Amino acid sequence: MKKLDEVIDELCDPRNYEVVHHSQTRHVPMPSTEVLGEIVERLRAVLFPGYYGYSDVDAENMRSHLGANLDKVDRLLREQIRRGHCFSCSLESEGEADCLDCEELSRSLSRKFIARLPEVRRLLTTDVMAAYEGDPAAKSPGEAIFCYPSIHAVTNYRLAHELYHLGVDLIPRIITEMAHSKTGIDIHPGAEIGERFFIDHGTGVVIGETCIIGRNVRLYQGVTLGAKSFPKDDSGKLIKGIPRHPIVEDGAIIYSGATILGRVTIGAGSVIGGNVWLLKDVPPGTRVIQKPAGGAEGENALLLESLK
Amino acid sequence: MKKLDEVIDELCDPRNYEVVHHSQTRHVPMPSTEVLGEIVERLRAVLFPGYYGYSDVDAENMRSHLGANLDKVDRLLREQIRRGHCFSCSLESEGEADCLDCEELSRSLSRKFIARLPEVRRLLTTDVMAAYEGDPAAKSPGEAIFCYPSIHAVTNYRLAHELYHLGVDLIPRIITEMAHSKTGIDIHPGAEIGERFFIDHGTGVVIGETCIIGRNVRLYQGVTLGAKSFPKDDSGKLIKGIPRHPIVEDGAIIYSGATILGRVTIGAGSVIGGNVWLLKDVPPGTRVIQKPAGGAEGENALLLESLK
Amino acid sequence: MKKLDEVIDELCDPRNYEVVHHSQTRHVPMPSTEVLGEIVERLRAVLFPGYYGYSDVDAENMRSHLGANLDKVDRLLREQIRRGHCFSCSLESEGEADCLDCEELSRSLSRKFIARLPEVRRLLTTDVMAAYEGDPAAKSPGEAIFCYPSIHAVTNYRLAHELYHLGVDLIPRIITEMAHSKTGIDIHPGAEIGERFFIDHGTGVVIGETCIIGRNVRLYQGVTLGAKSFPKDDSGKLIKGIPRHPIVEDGAIIYSGATILGRVTIGAGSVIGGNVWLLKDVPPGTRVIQKPAGGAEGENALLLESLK
Amino acid sequence: MKKLDEVIDELCDPRNYEVVHHSQTRHVPMPSTEVLGEIVERLRAVLFPGYYGYSDVDAENMRSHLGANLDKVDRLLREQIRRGHCFSCSLESEGEADCLDCEELSRSLSRKFIARLPEVRRLLTTDVMAAYEGDPAAKSPGEAIFCYPSIHAVTNYRLAHELYHLGVDLIPRIITEMAHSKTGIDIHPGAEIGERFFIDHGTGVVIGETCIIGRNVRLYQGVTLGAKSFPKDDSGKLIKGIPRHPIVEDGAIIYSGATILGRVTIGAGSVIGGNVWLLKDVPPGTRVIQKPAGGAEGENALLLESLK
Amino acid sequence: MKKLDEVIDELCDPRNYEVVHHSQTRHVPMPSTEVLGEIVERLRAVLFPGYYGYSDVDAENMRSHLGANLDKVDRLLREQIRRGHCFSCSLESEGEADCLDCEELSRSLSRKFIARLPEVRRLLTTDVMAAYEGDPAAKSPGEAIFCYPSIHAVTNYRLAHELYHLGVDLIPRIITEMAHSKTGIDIHPGAEIGERFFIDHGTGVVIGETCIIGRNVRLYQGVTLGAKSFPKDDSGKLIKGIPRHPIVEDGAIIYSGATILGRVTIGAGSVIGGNVWLLKDVPPGTRVIQKPAGGAEGENALLLESLK
Amino acid sequence: MKKLDEVIDELCDPRNYEVVHHSQTRHVPMPSTEVLGEIVERLRAVLFPGYYGYSDVDAENMRSHLGANLDKVDRLLREQIRRGHCFSCSLESEGEADCLDCEELSRSLSRKFIARLPEVRRLLTTDVMAAYEGDPAAKSPGEAIFCYPSIHAVTNYRLAHELYHLGVDLIPRIITEMAHSKTGIDIHPGAEIGERFFIDHGTGVVIGETCIIGRNVRLYQGVTLGAKSFPKDDSGKLIKGIPRHPIVEDGAIIYSGATILGRVTIGAGSVIGGNVWLLKDVPPGTRVIQKPAGGAEGENALLLESLK
């Protein structure tokens, strides 16, 4: 049997670790998923005071708690942004980058992000109301805030989306991936999603990077809003940044397991039935279901056979 | 750029936080997901002694460990029930509620719940046997207890279901949501599920609030037992509590990705094929598959095309 | 109402706990999921130095950190293997087993497993490159290592697979189940998977025990590679170990929600469309999509109806 | 050998546990040393911002951090005061106490305590300056704040003293005992100590309940300011609350190991030599040393003998 | 400057680490101070129910909590005893020891120890009463249990003393050293101490291995009951186990800083004054104080000098 | 009663916090006592392999574990040194300091410190042997390493002393203060202490900054080696760095409670009796005890009086 020392030798051979080793640029480590987790939990406490974090927040002490929380978020986030930047930077530059600029940039990005929080909260408030009003099981908006995977995932998304817009590297993706792991809902931080957005149950939902979703849209579990294909350039490389995911207009509803691929438009107020596989535009106000093959409307073609 | 102070001002403006702020009733905080997690883990140790919690439980010391665990569960649960009640209460009442009554009620509910644990264990024992006997990969019932997401999720469900029946607020939902997050299996605590229940793999399964599932039923990943539509009253509000999810009779099997919606009945011993989309009753002993469109039985209509 | 003492009596009645109680063999407890979690995290740090674990690993200090980590993995793993073995052993033997042999065996298995790590890393390096090259959103291989659920789940799988091959009991299943819980990707440790394997998004993917997957294969979320039925022997018991899951040859792509069941072969370079339900062989270089029923190619049979 | 069950029987026999069992009054537990530890650490962060707790406190964010910290201290302390009160209460009353009054009282006491913090800080500032100016090894006041056991113990004392004055039960004693455990300095919360107080090294110092210590006093390790005897009443019971410890006037210095017992007065500016045992008043401006018995001044009577 | 590698080489040179390296016997590690800490805390909860550990212990649930605690103590202690034994064993034997015997022995010792707990509690009850009755500041026996360093240290001592008597290696010393670190009271587990024992303040107290202390004895801080000299055998080695520390008879009181050395007897009811240095027997009923040299009785010879 | 807001106002008034606020220089926080604690524990594991830290260290894996530990110590220590430096720096400079120089300096100091570890271990080995050989209760050198407060405190001292010699700010003091808190032994990092040093029991020992202690010296609890007075310069300020503490030559023994003050020399092989108060030189080979006043040799002047 190989000895431990031989195994270590192999694993420490640069040819074996070349691709999978992260060599720090200027001793700046990778962003910390643990700290990012703390940041997001602090932000959840800021956005939904009393539901998360310190529970006894009232009008009197809110300024202190919120202020202390935001100040800490600011310091922590700034450092994580810098790490994310440094990680990306090390991929491109030859070590000539001016790190002090990065420091300044991170500071500024963190503040710009924080300035967006009131608007993020406004949007989430509409999401909460949509969840509450759209689910017969919900007894109060508070229940939706506290228990619903949709609110959890959409909160992470809306925060990550702001960072994405500011051009922050790596961090937004980690933040939505955290929610993906917890809820099974995978929303790319680049997607644009309007207010009053709700996903019921949610497991298996995928929303791609260039999706544009209007106001008052509702999805069910297992819905995919994906890309149809990835165009490549002449040299065979994937072309990045091209709009390649669906546009879903205001008020559309998409039932469980439906798959919509490519830059198609689902018109306002349309309803897409469950398990539908859709690759083309749908005009506003249309209901799309699987074609019945002799069965009831909305069913797929079924064969029934007695087992007896 | 906006200053931090201005952001805090906006976030502390009551108009911005109105909906998303939880103002405690009598300084009773929200139920604690952390404590509820501890309660469920303690109950898992009670239900499956030696597999969870203290590992060296034998006939001699079982009474002590089980007793100590149950006593702690009782104290912790009683407090969480009260919090959940207080949360709901604050939504309805005008502060006139008699909190001492709540205290007494919580105490009584906790005890009633605990009195149901032997029956919960009996049911789970049948679920374990079903998992073991139904999966060619399982080598022992113990392996199912220790490793299978189905047992994990169904344990949470069976506990939450007892609390649901006792009229406990909020807590049952949080308990099933914990399992949903961990396993991708989303069972509403209101569903009725008979013994010997097994879900293989499980990710993406949704079982709605008014489902009734018989004995010896097996589901696969991605199965939805959902509602077809939500009836509204004259004023446009959702009507709550109406039976709106399927009835699945004894011995039925539902393969992966099948979607069954509405108050339909899947007859005893029926088999529903994968990806089937079903909106109507199925008689007992029926096999339902997607209708072959020139393909083999059980396949959906496929188009094959050479890429060469 | 039943008294607490009565409940305890019922729960401590051997008839109630018979199946669900784990009585230790020679006071050897169950494997610890916590320790197994630590082992896997240490291995992740070994496999992807600088990305996980201690972040400041360079050529100079790598031997020390890697060596210390491996040495600890060895001691921890050896103990867990022994526990897993003891658990299985207690199911079969009558207490005559020679535990010192188990001790020796565990030690040897742990070392054999560690000897495979360079090869595991080589394979994972190809998986990382496949993820990076196949996803237009990825900016560097490092991003894939750090953020992608596919790499997380495949790492756990590749580690568990080595243990599975060595005949280690219970542990491999726990390790893949950890990844299943976190990513929604359920790969059985017994499956054989070639290099450059990538799963996009991943939630809901199921890969069965006897699957054989070639090189350069790509899956999307919700794909099932499952068994069609479980043959039973004359006495009605499931026959274990029979090849019952698909073979997917080199370069095949399977889109989201597709279900492939039974010992069928998907030929090299084939493309299986989304939501396809497939129960038979597909020749190499074939595109399989749902048959259009008057709709565009690749769509399923749809019914469009105006809601206006 | 006795069986475990018999041991448990004995230990659960009320005659065995009568004195040592704390039976809760109305299910209010004992004060939590853990929470009191948190309270004191939060107060240390309030009193010495930037040295303890959150390190990046500046003029801009101080209000938020300090406010959030104080608000939490208030909620935590109020509960601990109530517990301490309840503990004492259960000793005296027959269960007729009005707990709502206690609740109100605790709230009020906590606020009164907090109102004293600026004065506590003012006093501690003088203590810090005394430590810095009195120790040739100290390079800055900050070093004294951060490293000196005297500052640690005196901070706990000054906080506990305020609570003692407010009539809070049990808590003050626990707070000084924490510092005693950490530093070996045992100051009773009832002692009165003026500003600019410094104890060098400190291990073994004891300062009794009715001590009165002036301004600018310095002690060394092992100094005892104790009681000479405990007067008893006619029935042989100790009489409580009688002044029985020394008065040490402004500017006095007491060197290591000196013991001063009873209600004596050490006059202003006096210097008490090491190891001195003193039971009577000392006029202001007096130096007290052990009488030389043929040795040098300040030495005790020594016998020197060659060992060769 | 030396390179890191050279330093590691030196530190890994057996000549450098010979004495200070613990090479495990049969891979049995050192006793764990962490686990011993847990054991002692669990025992504190057993001995003083409601004061330590789970706070809501009443007559109804005491058996469960106490039983569960004792069972865990038993399992943990047994392992620690074996480790301590193995550590000592490795010093003496040549690897021929029969480890299974050790296993059996540890099990038996742990049970014998537990059988002594009711008596340990009986003794501690008298200590608690002595503390309460002897200190004018104490308001209840409960305060003494909860806050007094004496009770903390004497509890550890009484537990360690039982283990010492059973011949357990190493563990007793670690347990008293824990209390020494926390309270500054250093009691050797070999000392014999009667009931109603109380130490006020306690810092600096030392009680040697062969001390015999009667009933109702009280000590103050800084008291040493030590050895005068260590007799050596002909070869110059220290002779172990000879009685070499004082005997203190019933009812004696020893004030702060007194030092009593050698196998002398302090007669019943005697009072030893502070700072007294004593090397010979004292008859019963004697008061011993420093001889006044012209000063008041009980003072040492003092020189007073005006500083003005 | 003052409102919370008013209290906050007062506490945030710069006049109230001027002295006690640490305003960071360039956002470099105070050294972290937590991290310094980790550093010292890692070093303890390096110095005494198998006793502390990872317990299963043998000749084979020692290099890896030791190397990994030292590498982490290096990174952590370097940062703490920089913080300590920055703290001191901010006291002196006007913000013109070149922080990159500090970074480089810290790196170099950390490496120089690590290069001294083999010598530190050599010295500690002699201390361990002295403890073992000098204490009749010790059964092995290992017991001394694992249980004796002297070894704990002297380890911290020897590490801190090396840092002190390198001119590191603040850190050495914190490291010895940690041991002071745990053991009651207060050794200034500036003291010079030769090999084979042992302190029995230790509580209350104080060893001042300019002490010089030879080889093979033994102290008992409560010994002070202190300064007699602090000379001031013309302006009344303490003059720092003057030799002001005793010199104790090889082989001297100082018994419990003895106090030696000022720059006096205790000659080689001398024995200083307990409680002696000494201010002048003692020739080599001298025994110094308290002069008997009619009592036995070595006793102090005592008055015996019958209490009967």
Side-chain angles (χ1 to χ4, degrees), chain A residues 2 9 11 16 20-22 24 27 31 177 180-181 186 224 238 240 275 277 280 284-285 287 289-291, chain C residues 47 49 55-57 63 115 121 133 136 138 146 149 182 201 203 221 274-275 298-299 301-303 305 307-308:
Chain A
K2 252 190 287 184
D9 280 344
L11 289 166
N16 192 270
V20 296
H21 172 225
H22 178 240
Q24 297 185 356
H27 297 283
E177 196 51 44
H180 180 201
S181 173
D186 184 357
T224 294
L238 294 170
K240 313 212 161 187
N275 280 12
W277 181 264
K280 61 178 182 189
R287 184 152 72 118
I289 53 172
Q290 296 195 50
K291 199 168 192 173
Chain C
L47 293 166
S55 64
D56 210 353
V57 182
R63 256 198 91 84
R121 181 146 80 188
E133 289 165 9
F146 202 61
K182 189 174 165 63
H201 307 298
T203 313
Q221 70 273 19
N275 280 12
E299 282 189 1
L302 297 177
L303 184 76
E305 168 190 35
L307 291 164
K308 289 166 189 175

Side-chain angles (χ1 to χ4, degrees), chain F residues 255-267:
Chain F
Y255 282 101
S256 68
T259 302
I260 305 174
L261 302 182
R263 190 51 157 199
V264 301
T265 298
I266 308 302

Side-chain angles (χ1 to χ4, degrees), chain B residues 301-305, chain C residues 271 273 276 287-292 297-298:
Chain B
L302 297 178
L303 183 77
L304 278 70
E305 168 190 34
Chain C
V271 173
V276 161
R287 185 151 72 119
V288 180
I289 54 173
Q290 294 197 51
K291 200 167 193 174
E297 180 182 302

Side-chain angles (χ1 to χ4, degrees), chain F residues 227-247:
Chain F
K228 197 170 155 187
S229 63
F230 304 140
K232 300 183 178 176
D233 63 16
D234 296 346
S235 62
K237 275 194 172 170
L238 293 170
I239 308 177
K240 312 211 163 189
I242 291 178
R244 60 194 186 278
H245 300 98
I247 295 169

Side-chain angles (χ1 to χ4, degrees), chain C residues 178-205:
Chain C
M178 282 173 188
H180 181 201
S181 173
K182 189 174 165 63
T183 65
I185 299 172
D186 185 356
I187 311 178
H188 195 286
E192 301 284 340
I193 302 180
E195 59 191 48
R196 287 185 61 81
F197 182 60
F198 178 52
I199 303 170
D200 208 358
H201 307 298
T203 313
V205 164

Side-chain angles (χ1 to χ4, degrees), chain F residues 98-152:
Chain F
D98 188 337
C99 286
L100 287 179
D101 284 4
C102 283
E103 185 104 26
E104 194 42 54
L105 181 64
S106 304
R107 192 178 294 264
S108 152
L109 288 171
S110 171
R111 284 297 174 93
K112 279 181 183 156
F113 166 75
I114 285 174
R116 291 288 298 164
L117 289 175
E119 171 61 9
V120 168
R121 181 146 80 188
R122 194 192 63 73
L123 285 167
L124 286 168
T125 304
T126 70
D127 299 330
V128 166
M129 291 313 296
Y132 168 55
E133 290 166 7
D135 181 349
K139 291 187 181 154
S140 68
E143 196 181 324
I145 292 172
F146 203 60
C147 307
Y148 279 38
S150 175
I151 299 301
H152 187 94

Side-chain angles (χ1 to χ4, degrees), chain D residues 201-277:
Chain D
H201 308 299
T203 313
V205 164
V206 172
I207 298 175
E209 184 175 14
T210 63
C211 276
I212 299 174
I213 296 178
R215 306 174 63 255
N216 215 21
V217 168
R218 198 186 329 154
L219 308 185
Y220 285 81
Q221 70 273 21
V223 165
T224 294
L225 303 176
K228 196 169 154 189
S229 64
F230 305 141
K232 300 183 177 176
D233 63 17
D234 295 346
S235 62
K237 275 195 172 171
L238 294 171
I239 308 176
K240 314 213 164 190
I242 292 178
R244 59 193 187 278
H245 300 97
I247 296 169
V248 181
E249 294 183 351
D250 294 358
I253 299 178
I254 306 178
Y255 282 100
S256 68
T259 301
I260 305 174
L261 301 181
R263 192 51 158 198
V264 302
T265 297
I266 307 303
S270 291
V271 174
I272 311 299
N275 281 11
V276 160
W277 181 264

